[in-house]
Structures are given as C-alpha cells and as structure tokens.
Amino acid sequence: MSIDNNRTLLQIDAEIISEDDGFIIKIKNSETKEVVEVNSVRDYAQYLIESVNNSLCDDFVVNWLPSPKAKRYDIDLIGMQLGMMQEWMNREIKIGDA
C-alpha cells in the first residue's frame, strides 16, 4: 500500500474470533497477502514484530477490525495483555532504524 509517491505503508489487520475454549486472532498482512491465525497475544505480538522488521515498507499501521464473533471478555483480555507488552514491542520493532 502506498502512502504517497515516495513512501510505502505496511498494513496489518487483526480480528478477534471468540471460541468456547479461548480465542483466535486472525491476522492479514497487506505486503505478503498472508493470512495467519494465532491463539495467543504473545504469538500475535511476535508475528507483528517479525512482519514489521522484515517489511520493505517505510511505515506500518495496525487495524483491529470489528468482529461480531468477539466476546467483550476476550477484547478486554487481549487489550490488557498488549498493554503489558507495549514497551517490549516498541524495543523490538526496528522499522525506520538505520
């Protein structure tokens, strides 16, 4: 995806799908066209970091897609866990580093 004539943007879309025994995070990568399903916030964070670090794009954006298949409990749990991992993720993401 192109931001303008000189810069490109990696877009990662994520959707929460609640199940009886937990949840799945379905991830779509705009650069590779890859669709991946993970069942932990740690796996999601690791996929995000690797996608950004391996990307040829200049910048990235992460979109959480609304999902009628997501329970409020799972949304809150995932948000809380990502919040606790934010500092680690910020250190690991290398986009824009020379």
Side-chain angles (χ1 to χ4, degrees):
M1 175 183 226
S2 178
I3 297 174
D4 58 33
N5 291 339
N6 299 321
R7 298 182 54 79
T8 54
L9 180 69
L10 169 64
Q11 182 172 322
I12 303 288
D13 293 330
E15 177 183 7
I16 300 168
I17 301 169
S18 294
E19 297 185 325
D20 291 338
D21 60 344
F23 59 84
I24 292 172
I25 302 174
K26 185 176 182 178
I27 311 163
K28 297 177 185 172
N29 181 318
S30 68
E31 185 176 26
T32 64
K33 309 298 185 221
E34 181 177 41
V35 177
V36 175
E37 292 184 356
V38 297
N39 57 8
S40 77
V41 176
R42 175 69 180 200
D43 289 344
Y44 165 75
Q46 192 64 45
Y47 177 85
L48 177 63
I49 291 166
E50 289 172 9
S51 293
V52 170
N53 290 346
N54 293 329
S55 176
L56 298 175
C57 294
D58 300 305
D59 210 343
F60 73 98
V61 63
V62 176
N63 299 310
W64 282 96
L65 304 176
S67 175
K69 301 173 189 169
K71 295 178 185 170
R72 182 69 196 185
Y73 173 82
D74 291 334
I75 295 169
D76 291 344
L77 178 65
I78 290 168
M80 180 184 66
Q81 290 179 0
L82 283 172
M84 292 187 309
M85 288 190 232
Q86 183 175 359
E87 188 176 317
W88 165 72
M89 291 174 68
N90 288 343
R91 281 193 317 266
E92 294 296 317
I93 290 177
K94 305 297 184 208
I95 201 161
D97 289 353

